[in-house]
Each structure stands twice: as C-alpha cells, then as structure tokens.
Amino acid sequence: MGCALSGSGGGARGPGFRLKSEPVPLTESQKDLIRESWKVVHQDIARLGIIMFIRLFETHPECKDVFFIFREIDDLQELKMSKELQAHGLRVMSFIEKSVARLAQEDKLEQIALELGKCHCRYNAPPKYYEYVGVQFISAVKPILKDSWSPQVEQAWESLFAYLAAVMKRGYHEEEHKDGVNKASYARKRPPQSPAEEAPPNCI
C-alpha cells in the first residue's frame, strides 16, 4: 500500500466528492483529526448508521436494488424501523471503526478493505456505490460534531473514504477476475455433455 495513507496532501473536496484517480495520501495530522472526531461519532453509531443509509436511499434510490430485503420497501419511515437496516448500518459503522483503528497499520487497513471489496463482488454490489457511502457518512456526522467540524476534518474523512473505495474496487475486480478464470477453467475441464444432459426433460 505504501504511500496511500502516509505522506503529505489532502483529498478531494466538497460533499459530492468523487474518486477520479489514485487517492491522495493522508498526513499524520489528518489521521489524528479522524481519530479525534471518531471518539465523538462513536457514541451514536447505531443512529448514525440508519441516517447514513436512509440518506443514501433518498439520494440514490437505485442503491436499494443491491439489497434484496429493502428492494420493495418504498416508505422511508418503514425502512428506519427495519431491524435489518439497523444491523447493516452497524456492520458498516463497525468497518469504519476498524479502519480508524488501523490508520497506523497500513497493511492491515488495506487487507480489510480489500476483503470487503471481494465480499461485495460475491454479493454483486457494484463498485460505483462505494463512494456514495462516504459522502453520506460525512453529511451525517457534520451535525453530530457541531463546532468540532471543520474543512480540515472534512478533507481528512474524504481522503480516508477515497482510499477505502479505491482498495475495495481493487478487491472487487480481483474477485471478479478470479471468478471468471475459475468458471472458464471449469468449462474447459468439464467433459462434453449429451443433449439430454444439457436440457433435461423438465427444464424450462
């Protein structure tokens, strides 16, 4: 991972930031800002997880299609009460917590983000959605941090999410490639099928 999290520089600015190239390194000062702000955010992670996903579904309704259990729920108030959404929100917040805890352990941070990207490939959650979560997280934590929020804090979190999204995308594509190779290898090794095997009598 090398310079992805250590060095000088900042991240893309603004609440609608999009990752266009390699993420810009985080400074030690930015890591400290993330750690300090997380201490406040951590006190309300259950509610924050719900707020984050409700806003995600409001701004990008197509994201619901990734979640089978939420796909048919149009009422956002009903979604807010969903135990499944609460559980998923907590899982995402737990990942963010682990990421913050590993800011000084770059190899471990890279590994958990890479594995999460691979997991998203297996669940068919496209990479284009990854950056949306960071945007909504930042939007949700601003009112929680109140006067502690600053452009510097925002830039630090943007840089972290840009990095996580980039590594997750790499993990997604690595898993996608591996899956494609495995399927191709299986097809080559599998003996030719008879017409009866290819289309069983009851096949529809």
Side-chain angles (χ1 to χ4, degrees):
M1 183 172 64
C3 66
L5 282 181
S6 59
S8 61
R13 301 300 301 275
F17 78 95
R18 296 297 302 275
L19 182 63
K20 296 181 180 179
S21 58
E22 286 299 310
V24 181
L26 271 75
T27 64
E28 290 303 316
S29 175
Q30 286 177 319
K31 294 177 186 179
D32 288 340
L33 286 172
I34 290 172
R35 292 187 188 102
E36 288 303 311
S37 56
W38 179 254
K39 290 178 183 178
V40 178
V41 172
H42 180 265
Q43 299 173 20
D44 205 13
I45 57 174
R47 188 173 68 90
L48 182 59
I50 295 173
I51 292 172
M52 185 171 63
F53 273 95
I54 291 297
R55 289 183 175 177
L56 177 65
F57 295 152
E58 284 178 331
T59 55
H60 299 281
E62 71 277 10
C63 289
K64 281 203 304 177
D65 292 339
V66 178
F67 301 92
F68 179 78
I69 54 177
F70 307 142
R71 198 173 296 168
E72 303 301 325
I73 303 178
D74 294 323
D75 187 348
L76 293 180
Q77 290 300 320
E78 183 180 348
L79 264 179
K80 286 180 182 178
M81 304 304 295
S82 167
K83 293 188 181 300
E84 290 82 4
L85 182 62
Q86 293 172 18
H88 188 73
L90 278 173
R91 284 195 294 272
V92 172
M93 297 304 293
S94 176
F95 170 74
I96 296 173
E97 182 174 35
K98 291 176 182 177
S99 299
V100 173
R102 287 163 175 76
L103 285 173
Q105 301 169 297
E106 299 181 9
D107 291 344
K108 291 183 178 180
L109 177 58
E110 180 180 33
Q111 189 59 37
I112 63 169
L114 196 67
E115 289 302 320
L116 186 61
K118 292 179 180 180
C119 178
H120 277 65
C121 179
R122 293 191 288 270
Y123 282 98
N124 198 29
K128 65 180 181 179
Y129 297 132
Y130 301 167
E131 293 166 33
Y132 298 162
V133 174
V135 173
Q136 298 309 324
F137 173 87
I138 288 171
S139 177
V141 300
K142 280 183 181 180
I144 294 176
L145 289 175
K146 299 178 181 177
D147 293 341
S148 297
W149 188 260
S150 68
Q152 291 76 24
V153 173
E154 182 167 357
Q155 186 177 17
W157 279 106
E158 285 179 355
S159 295
L160 176 60
F161 277 108
Y163 168 75
L164 294 174
V167 178
M168 285 179 63
K169 287 178 182 179
R170 177 154 55 87
Y172 180 98
H173 292 304
E174 285 182 8
E175 186 71 12
E176 187 178 45
H177 175 71
K178 184 179 74 173
D179 187 50
V181 169
N182 288 342
K183 286 180 179 178
S185 176
Y186 175 76
R188 286 195 300 270
K189 293 177 181 178
R190 192 179 185 189
Q193 295 174 304
S194 68
E197 290 174 320
E198 290 179 349
N202 296 326
C203 182
I204 57 174

